[in-house]
Amino acid sequence: MRKILLLLLALTFLCFAEEDKHPWYLDIRGNKAFSNFQLEEQLDIPEEFGKMDTTKQDFMMRLSLENIKALYYSRSYYSLNLTMDIQRNYVAQDSCIRGYYITIRDGERYRFSGAKLIVPEDRKVEIDETKLNIAQDHLYNQDDIAEDMEDIQKAYRREGYLHTTLSSIEKIDTTQKKIYVEITIDPGAKVIMGNMNSSSHRTKDKRNPNIVISETGLTDTAWLSSLWRIPEGEIIDGNQYNTFRNKLFSTQLFTQIKMSDSLRSDGLSDVYLNVTERVPGETRYGFFFEEIYGFGAQASAKHKNFFGRLHEFSTSAQIAQHKQEASIGYANPLLFGTSFSFIPTAIRFEDRLTLNHEKINPPAYPDSLEERYEVINRGDLTFGLTKRIRFRSTLDTRYVNKNDSSLFKLKGEIALTFDYTNDYFNPTRGLRFAPTFGTGTNWKADIQNLTMVGDPYTYGEMTVNLYHPLFWTFNGAVSGSVGKFFAKAIEDDARIFYQGGTRSVRGYRFRSIFASNESTDENGDKIINTGLTPLYYRFNEEIRWTFPWKSWQRWQIVQFYDWTLVTDHEKDLYEERESESLGAGVRYRWQFLTFRLDYAFKKDLSNWNPEKFGWGRFAFDLSQTF
């Protein structure tokens, strides 16, 4: 029966692939450690496989089996038994379909049995071999060997052996199912600091790569050399050597950074730094859509290397249906950055002065209009604590005139981002979480009578995102958030934790979900009082299917579920609100943008009756949700 089904599948394939001279199909059996989809990807069969001569097909398939073997060996399956049979299913007297039957028996997995480091005695650096991954009695994994070799190299580079090279040999014991690893270390000579020499040149014009803009870059090379912190005569710490290079890269002002050293006759080594600069000027313009501001256009310009010392000046403007904004900014991506060797990136300071005018519907009164004028000064200090952890500190001061009422607002915020994903902008695997803590105050905008409005407030927030491949081209993504005001704020500040909208609960108006109570005034008009110490919980789930065809891989179909609960510290006074939505959407990835259109089919999941169509259930945005 199985063969009949495979034959029918092959015939179907033949109908849809008339151009293939030699149609074929693949059948993988017995695999347990890896899925069929993973193994088919590992085979890496070219698209033109069906058009090849049958002899070439057989040769290519046998060659591709080595990829599968390499995958199993990398995960300690050295007892692997892999066979391939080729069958010909005749569909006509002079026509047949070739079937490649791959049978896999995973076998028993091998384990590490110990490690040995081979290094000259006079250049040995103390390393505790018992703490290496390969010295532990656990399952063999090539990644463990690579990680240990990287740690060993760092230890030697830390002692000044910048040119350390390593190689490994794996000795396999088939009787005991064990693997013994020998690592040979060639440290080379210690490098002692001499002089620092820097040079720079510019990149080619992006629009015409045949034109060289300038032979010499804008960067002040004497100033660039002064950023180097290891004095003459000291041993060069190789980790600091790499950190310096990484800090320059993290400024995003250079396309290439080359560092080398040259031994002098007196035993010192000169360090040579050569950088290739990006074109420092940048202009951008485009269109956007924001749920509360509508469609708009924006333009910006910046120069990233004023005075040759990486000073950055910028200006921007945007005009939308309900928002107009203009700003100027200054940034320095190396503020104290090279003075702190334990910080692996440049410390970026950015300050931006913004004039803003907007008209929006306030959360509690969607039929009314709130007009505000703002003068905002925002300063951000950001840097990487490690390769995966980023720190941000923000100080936001602003003058706000809202519906003829004026305030001075001051807010400070500290945030960390822990990113363990495979791709920062479009992750499919990994974990990301971001805790935030903030505090703020409000003051009457009267210089002669500067009094505080309300009390100082504090708040905290935590967001956790998890990404995981499911099967084939399906990927799962979930996000959980919780936020709480620890002290009472005014409504203008508390509303940052109200829910609803394209990045919160789709199908609901922006920030329309909040804890509240209703009362009537002396005229009988309804008054909606919103919670001023909100606490929210939010959960978002998506299953994302990326089209598998190469010409369609920018498209995604997504199923989503959103849920939130917003309550308040004063539970007896404010009624909590719980909302959810279930729907589907489409994504299109274009360069750095993701066009997103979602529709919430269900907002009441207590039953499965169809709900009335509504334009407000659509959510359109130019980004992924999370």
Side-chain angles (χ1 to χ4, degrees), residues 54 76 115-116 140 174 183 400 420 486 521 527 603 610 616 623:
T54 55
S76 75
K116 181 181 180 182
Y140 169 87
T174 56
I183 296 178
V400 179
Y420 299 93
F486 303 108
D521 60 14
I527 299 175
K603 294 167 69 172
S623 68

Side-chain angles (χ1 to χ4, degrees), residues 162 566 609:
L162 300 188
V566 185
N609 297 328

Side-chain angles (χ1 to χ4, degrees), residues 427-486:
T428 57
R429 183 193 302 274
L431 174 71
R432 179 183 298 155
F433 59 99
T436 301
F437 177 79
T439 183
T441 58
N442 295 278
W443 302 77
K444 277 188 177 180
D446 184 352
I447 300 297
Q448 296 179 346
N449 184 26
L450 196 63
T451 56
M452 188 179 295
V453 178
D455 296 323
Y457 63 89
T458 54
Y459 62 89
E461 189 174 24
M462 169 69 82
T463 299
V464 180
N465 297 342
L466 178 64
Y467 309 89
H468 189 69
L470 300 176
F471 60 93
W472 196 27
T473 57
F474 285 85
N475 291 287
V478 295
S479 176
S481 282
V482 59
K484 177 180 173 61
F485 269 76
F486 303 108

Side-chain angles (χ1 to χ4, degrees), residues 256-304:
Q256 194 174 59
I257 298 170
K258 294 181 179 179
M259 294 186 70
S260 59
D261 59 89
S262 176
L263 183 65
R264 301 187 329 203
S265 58
D266 58 1
L268 303 182
S269 294
D270 290 337
V271 176
Y272 296 91
L273 169 67
N274 180 268
V275 297
T276 303
E277 300 174 2
R278 297 182 189 274
V279 176
E282 180 181 289
T283 58
R284 288 184 178 181
Y285 56 90
F287 300 94
F288 67 90
F289 175 81
E290 283 285 347
E291 185 176 0
I292 58 174
Y293 301 128
F295 287 95
Q298 60 185 3
S300 65
K302 65 175 64 174
H303 192 286
K304 298 182 179 181

Side-chain angles (χ1 to χ4, degrees), residues 469-529:
L470 300 176
F471 60 93
W472 196 27
T473 57
F474 285 85
N475 291 287
V478 295
S479 176
S481 282
V482 59
K484 177 180 173 61
F485 269 76
F486 303 108
K488 185 177 291 187
I490 64 174
E491 190 270 347
D492 198 51
D493 298 309
R495 68 171 61 168
I496 66 171
F497 282 173
Y498 299 169
Q499 299 298 295
T502 61
R503 295 187 185 92
S504 173
V505 184
R506 283 157 279 192
Y508 294 84
R509 188 171 56 86
F510 182 66
R511 289 183 179 168
S512 62
I513 306 170
F514 47 82
S516 65
N517 66 32
E518 295 183 5
S519 60
T520 55
D521 60 14
E522 62 274 10
N523 299 320
D525 295 327
K526 183 172 70 173
I527 299 175
I528 301 174
N529 302 290

